[in-house]
Amino acid sequence: MNDTTVIQEADALVVGGGLHGTSSALHLARRGAKVIVLEADYVARHSSGVNAGGVRTLGRPLPEIPLALMSREIWHGMTDLLGEDGGFVPSGQLKIAETDDELQACRERVALLESHGFTHEKVIDRDTVLELEPALARHVTGGIWVERDGYALPFRTTTAFRLAAQRLGARFLEGTAVHRIEQRGTRWLAFTPRGTFGAEKLLVTAGAWSGDLAKQVGEPVPVHPEGLMLMVTHRVAPFCHATLGATGRPLSFKQFDNGTVVIGGKLIGLADLSSRHGEVDFARLVRSARTVTDLFPHLRNLGVNRAWAGVEAFTEDELPVISASRKASNLYYSFGYCGSGFQLGPGCGKLVSELMLDGTPSISLDAFGIDRFERGAASSSSAASSASAAHLVTQ
Ligand SMILES: Cc1cc2nc3c(=O)[nH]c(=O)nc-3n(C[C@H](O)[C@H](O)[C@H](O)COP(=O)(O)OP(=O)(O)OC[C@H]3O[C@@H](n4cnc5c(N)ncnc54)[C@H](O)[C@@H]3O)c2cc1C
């Protein structure tokens, strides 16, 4: 494993074949870079392939909004980029308020966004909510609506990015875990049980496992795994068009064309990094099922078909790390998407490719620097505190 005989060379090595790895690989390859993606399991095995598919700019922390809006434009043009749309449906996203206080919080959130020049979230009243979603319980008081949001199919999207990158020459090696990274001279080496890979630049997109690689270069990051849960119901006649969230309690909810309903909303189960596995906590799922039946009483007797948990990376301030290393040259990170990184994947891959090839991305990534944790709680979190002020319940 420490053999420095390089078996394959590239311009850039990407460690991790989730959506952020595949998207970065595609955007790098589009710029002419020779890319190798090293994936421990198989592409889209973890969060990127098993998430709720929410393509949501709604409810984002302030620093993420420019990235999310840029990414959303890529979602709307996905077929041009990939030759297919990843199952993207621009259903709109609706965050429901269930009390007057919650509606007031929605108004304050939207006013705050407007004071920063963001106009994509709109407050809507109860009648408009019920016009959009007539099956909702009558106690709703209003909400926030974003028309250009929607949902997509996670495994299909991540695979589509992989295939598009491959068509441009990127190589994907699955079952190839990087155990160690090391810079020798101007070259990065990635040591795997299948041999050693070399490149001038190295990108870590290893999701919840990224902290270990950052630590190897003396750059520890407070990132931890959580097992995020989802459940999918049996088929039911169409009753819900938009992708829904709630303001006062965690919820993410959508009905697919085939009639099944996917229910989630940052529901925390169990995660084990060493066994690379997430586990469902049924007691917590029950609470979420109750939120759904409060909002859609007619679903009370609907059966659950399947439940699962994916391993996701969370940071202390609930913002991702999208950054050049501060300790080593030509080393880059993109991880820690805290349950909301699917929507960001297409755009962040582009920004990361700009960071790696040009040095300066077209949208500032200053809020996502890896050194923000070192700079201490006080400063690290001017971004984070405005982020949480602007958060209602995200997802
Ligand atoms: C249940 C659930 C629901 C979610 N719902 C939404 C949603 O609706 N909308 C939204 O925007 N986001 C959602 N998310 C979050 C989103 O899925 C993630 O933020 C995003 O997919 C993260 O992508 P990634 O590429 O950073 O990480 P991952 O998808 O985790 O990919 C990282 C990859 O790196 C590989 N790897 C790790 N270590 C190594 C190593 N040493 N060597 C080689 N390979 C390695 C892993 O095997 C993995 O394949 C949800 C997540 C979950 C779990």
Side-chain angles (χ1 to χ4, degrees):
M1 214 225 310
N2 289 325
D3 183 0
T4 53
T5 313
V6 172
I7 58 168
Q8 280 185 47
E9 281 279 359
D11 299 323
L13 295 175
V14 177
V15 183
L19 183 56
H20 286 273
T22 55
S23 171
S24 302
L26 171 64
H27 288 290
L28 286 165
R30 277 167 64 86
R31 297 276 308 271
K34 191 175 162 199
V35 184
I36 296 177
V37 180
L38 303 167
E39 164 54 49
D41 292 317
Y42 56 85
V43 168
R45 159 68 182 83
H46 293 285
S47 281
S48 297
V50 303
N51 66 58
V55 176
R56 174 180 59 76
T57 60
L58 202 173
R60 294 261 165 201
L62 276 173
E64 279 183 9
I65 293 175
L67 281 55
L69 291 175
M70 184 271 239
S71 207
R72 187 173 69 181
E73 294 318 302
I74 301 182
W75 279 103
H76 282 265
M78 202 68 103
T79 307
D80 294 337
L81 181 68
L82 304 179
E84 74 131 302
D85 63 8
F88 176 57
V89 177
S91 63
Q93 289 236 4
L94 173 61
K95 188 178 277 285
I96 300 153
E98 296 178 80
T99 65
D100 290 339
D101 284 351
E102 286 177 16
L103 183 56
Q104 182 54 25
C106 291
R107 288 194 193 100
E108 286 166 17
R109 150 99 186 166
V110 169
L112 176 72
L113 293 198
E114 285 175 359
S115 73
H116 286 267
F118 299 122
T119 56
H120 57 294
E121 297 191 11
K122 307 280 181 210
V123 176
I124 55 174
D125 61 17
R126 175 178 182 276
D127 289 350
T128 313
V129 167
L130 291 174
E131 233 169 75
L132 284 167
E133 295 300 340
L136 267 171
R138 303 287 111 175
H139 72 274
V140 297
T141 53
I144 302 180
W145 171 239
V146 178
E147 194 174 0
R148 281 173 68 75
D149 282 356
Y151 66 84
L153 301 177
F155 195 86
R156 186 168 143 191
T157 299
T158 307
T159 303
F161 271 93
R162 176 224 182 122
L163 294 174
Q166 274 178 332
R167 286 194 292 273
L168 293 175
R171 298 206 55 200
F172 286 76
L173 287 121
E174 299 181 307
T176 307
V178 174
H179 290 168
R180 200 162 67 76
I181 56 174
E182 188 185 319
Q183 194 177 30
R184 294 260 172 103
T186 57
R187 216 159 58 142
W188 278 97
L189 300 180
F191 297 93
T192 84
R194 295 177 65 183
T196 302
F197 297 81
E200 186 197 349
K201 294 173 194 282
L202 189 139
L203 169 65
V204 175
T205 50
W209 294 267
S210 301
D212 179 45
L213 295 166
K215 205 164 151 192
Q216 290 181 20
V217 292
E219 210 156 29
V221 197
V223 58
H224 69 278
E226 299 282 7
L228 286 189
M229 303 184 291
L230 286 178
M231 58 186 142
V232 63
T233 69
H234 296 158
R235 290 169 193 234
V236 59
F239 68 95
C240 177
H241 174 71
T243 305
L244 303 186
T247 303
R249 39 188 174 171
L251 176 72
S252 128
F253 180 98
K254 67 186 68 71
Q255 184 176 30
F256 288 116
D257 281 350
N258 67 6
T260 58
V261 179
V262 174
I263 301 166
K266 292 202 175 156
L267 304 173
I268 306 291
L270 306 163
D272 182 351
L273 278 190
S274 54
S275 66
R276 315 181 67 77
H277 178 66
E279 192 64 55
V280 171
D281 175 338
F282 282 97
R284 288 186 183 161
L285 273 188
V286 167
R287 261 179 264 151
S288 181
R290 192 161 303 127
T291 304
V292 171
T293 53
D294 285 353
L295 288 167
F296 292 103
H298 76 284
L299 296 185
R300 196 156 287 136
N301 297 318
L302 184 63
V304 169
N305 206 8
R306 200 160 68 85
W308 65 93
V311 179
E312 170 70 334
F314 282 80
T315 62
E316 267 178 0
D317 59 9
E318 293 194 38
L319 293 176
V321 173
I322 317 170
S323 175
S325 166
R326 306 296 192 242
K327 303 276 184 196
S329 57
N330 291 324
L331 174 63
Y332 304 87
Y333 302 104
S334 176
F335 65 87
Y337 283 90
C338 304
S340 310
F342 180 63
Q343 190 274 352
L344 291 172
C348 287
K350 180 163 188 296
L351 294 173
V352 166
S353 73
E354 293 166 355
L355 179 67
M356 291 176 71
L357 299 178
D358 308 327
T360 318
S362 50
I363 294 178
S364 168
L365 295 172
D366 290 352
F368 311 104
I370 192 162
D371 56 341
R372 69 185 190 267
F373 305 104
E374 261 179 26
R375 290 198 304 259
S379 64
S380 79
S381 274
S382 75
S385 62
S386 52
S388 11
H391 256 226
L392 295 175
V393 177
T394 55
Q395 161 103 347

